[in-house]
Amino acid sequence: MAAPQAQQTWVAQPNESDLWIPQPIEGEEWNSHTIHTHYFGFSIPEQKIGAFIYLRCQPVFKLCSGGVCIYKGLDNLRPLDCEHSNYVVTMPYPEFKNNTIETKNGLRIEFLELGKKVQIQYTSKDGETSFDVVQTAVTPLLPRGHVMPGEDLHTKPEQKPGGSEQFMHCIGNLRLNGKAYAIDCYPVRDRSWRQTRTEDEVVYPPVGWSPMSFDGTLSFNQVGYEAPDTDPIWENVFSIDKSKPSHYFAWVVVDGVARNIIRVRRNVTKYHPELFAAIEQEIETEDDAGKVYHFKGEAIAMAQLPSWPNNIFIDSVFRWSDDEGRVTYCAYQEAWYSRYQRFRRGKLTLE
C-alpha cells in the first residue's frame, strides 16, 4: 500500500465539478468499482443530534445507493439504533436536471450556485421526518486526495479521479419523528468522482477524518491514522512506516486563504467502549508558514452507519476547541477493516 502523502498545493476545483457524475462512453473501459459520491451533514449540538446525507453512484453498473441517517447521543451501536435511518443500497442511477438531483427515497439536492450554495431537502415516507437546509460556502472548493486505504492504488490516472471538500454555513429546519428543531451550524461537504473503491479487505490502522471550522474564520481538515508516537491502541497490530506522514492530506484556511499543512499529530486519548472509535482526541498541526495549531475534541453523538460488509464506518459529532478558546462542532468519521475489529473484540491472536 502506498504511504500517505501530504498534498503541497491548493487550487480550487472547478465549480461545475458539483455536477460531475459521468458514465463511461462507448469505447471506454472503467473499473467496475468506479464511484462518484456526494456527502453532506449537519448537527444540532444542544440536542446531541448528527445527520449523515450521502449519495454513492456506481456508473459502470448504472446504480446508486444512499439516503439519510440521523442519530442522537453516543449509544447507536447499529444503524437501526439511529433516530431515523433510510439508506437504500440499490436505486436507479441519478441524473442532474436544472442543477438538481433526486433519489427514490426522498432526498433532493439542488445547487443554487455551483461551488458555493446548495439546498438539501428530505422527506420520509411517513412524513414524520424531514429537513430543508441551505448550505453556503465559507471556504474555497478545495481538492482532496483519496480517503479509503488502497483507493490510490486502484484508480488509474487516465480515469481522471478527483474530489473536493468545502466548509459550509448551514441554516434550516429539521422535523425528527414529529419534533421540530432549528439548524445553524458549520458542517463540511465532501465528494469524489471517478475514484476506484474496490471494497476489498485492507490491512491498515483505523483512518480518521477530522474537519472543523470555527465560524469560517479558521477551518482545518485532515485525514489519516493516529500518530505512531502516541502509543495508539493498535500499535502492535499493524506495521507502518513511522518515517512517513500519518496523514494523507491536510489543509487549513485562515481568513479565506488556504495553507498547506506540513505536520499532523493526532492523539486519541479515549475510545468508545463498544464502537471502538475515538471519543476524545487532541490534534497538533503546523502549517507551511510555521504556525502551530492545537485542537481538542470530544464526541457528543456517534453512530455506526451503513457501509459495505468488509468495512465498519462510524460517523459522529465532535465538540472542538482551539488554543484561543474558540468552540465549534463538526462531523468526525472513522473507518476500519476486519483486523482492527477482531483485535478490539479480542478475537485476533497476535504472534
Side-chain angles (χ1 to χ4, degrees):
M1 176 181 299
Q5 297 293 324
Q7 191 163 343
Q8 299 300 314
T9 58
W10 301 106
V11 178
Q13 296 284 30
N15 290 341
E16 60 267 24
S17 65
D18 281 340
L19 306 180
W20 290 352
I21 53 169
Q23 298 182 63
I25 63 176
E26 186 176 353
E28 285 187 330
E29 289 188 11
W30 290 10
N31 189 301
S32 61
H33 294 285
T34 299
I35 59 162
H36 315 303
T37 67
H38 276 281
Y39 159 74
F40 300 91
F42 61 78
S43 63
I44 307 175
E46 59 272 22
Q47 299 294 332
K48 299 182 179 180
I49 289 175
F52 175 81
I53 305 160
Y54 199 61
L55 177 66
R56 182 174 185 261
C57 302
Q58 296 173 274
V60 175
F61 296 113
K62 295 180 172 57
L63 297 171
C64 77
S65 61
V68 171
C69 298
I70 304 173
Y71 54 92
K72 188 173 184 177
L74 296 168
D75 61 347
N76 305 286
L77 305 185
R78 300 291 182 269
L80 295 185
D81 290 336
C82 293
E83 299 297 305
H84 180 78
S85 183
N86 181 12
Y87 192 99
V88 177
V89 173
T90 304
M91 294 186 289
Y93 200 81
E95 63 177 291
F96 276 102
K97 295 180 180 179
N98 299 320
N99 293 355
T100 302
I101 197 168
E102 297 186 49
T103 66
K104 294 297 183 182
N105 59 340
L107 178 62
R108 182 180 185 273
I109 303 167
E110 179 181 359
F111 289 95
L112 304 176
E113 187 175 356
L114 292 178
K116 297 180 180 179
K117 193 172 186 178
V118 58
Q119 183 176 26
I120 311 159
Q121 298 169 305
Y122 169 77
T123 302
S124 63
K125 284 186 176 180
D126 62 7
E128 289 298 296
T129 296
S130 61
F131 57 77
D132 187 347
V133 300
V134 172
Q135 298 193 355
T136 305
V138 297
T139 60
L141 190 65
L142 292 179
R144 72 151 177 79
H146 70 282
V147 174
M148 299 305 299
E151 194 172 58
D152 54 323
L153 300 181
H154 298 289
T155 302
K156 297 179 179 179
E158 56 267 29
Q159 196 165 297
K160 299 180 180 179
S164 62
E165 290 180 325
Q166 187 175 47
F167 284 97
M168 315 294 285
H169 185 197
C170 178
I171 299 289
N173 296 282
L174 166 69
R175 176 180 170 88
L176 180 59
N177 297 325
K179 188 172 182 180
Y181 303 91
I183 302 167
D184 186 348
C185 59
Y186 285 84
V188 68
R189 70 174 176 122
D190 158 283
R191 70 156 317 202
S192 299
W193 56 83
R194 299 175 181 258
Q195 297 278 4
T196 301
R197 200 166 292 171
T198 68
E199 305 184 15
D200 289 341
E201 167 69 17
V202 179
V203 179
Y204 208 67
V207 171
W209 181 41
S210 55
M212 64 190 82
S213 182
F214 296 86
D215 296 338
T217 58
L218 170 65
S219 302
F220 169 73
N221 183 33
Q222 76 82 44
V223 63
Y225 51 80
E226 297 163 59
D229 67 350
T230 62
D231 300 323
I233 198 170
W234 47 259
E235 183 175 20
N236 298 318
V237 182
F238 300 98
S239 177
I240 59 171
D241 186 345
K242 296 183 180 181
S243 68
K244 299 295 178 73
S246 58
H247 64 287
Y248 297 137
F249 66 95
W251 47 260
V252 63
V253 175
V254 181
D255 295 327
V257 178
R259 301 177 184 175
N260 189 45
I261 290 294
I262 62 173
R263 177 176 61 86
V264 175
R265 184 178 186 269
R266 186 166 67 90
N267 178 25
V268 176
T269 56
K270 188 175 182 181
Y271 302 88
H272 193 288
E274 295 175 280
L275 288 171
F276 307 139
I279 55 173
E280 293 181 9
Q281 57 184 313
E282 301 169 353
I283 297 175
E284 179 182 283
T285 188
E286 181 180 356
D287 69 23
D288 56 8
K291 181 171 176 55
V292 176
Y293 308 83
H294 297 91
F295 305 108
K296 187 173 183 180
E298 179 180 2
I300 63 168
M302 179 172 286
Q304 180 182 340
L305 297 185
S307 181
W308 57 83
N310 285 356
N311 172 273
I312 281 184
F313 170 64
I314 305 294
D315 191 48
S316 60
V317 178
F318 257 67
R319 178 190 185 275
W320 293 101
S321 60
D322 72 352
D323 45 11
E324 296 183 12
R326 291 176 291 191
V327 173
T328 192
Y329 297 83
C330 198
Y332 168 75
Q333 297 179 355
E334 199 166 330
W336 59 82
Y337 295 86
S338 69
R339 185 171 177 83
Y340 180 69
Q341 180 70 15
R342 289 177 57 78
F343 164 68
R344 294 305 307 271
R345 290 293 307 279
K347 295 185 174 185
L348 181 68
T349 301
L350 300 176
E351 298 180 358

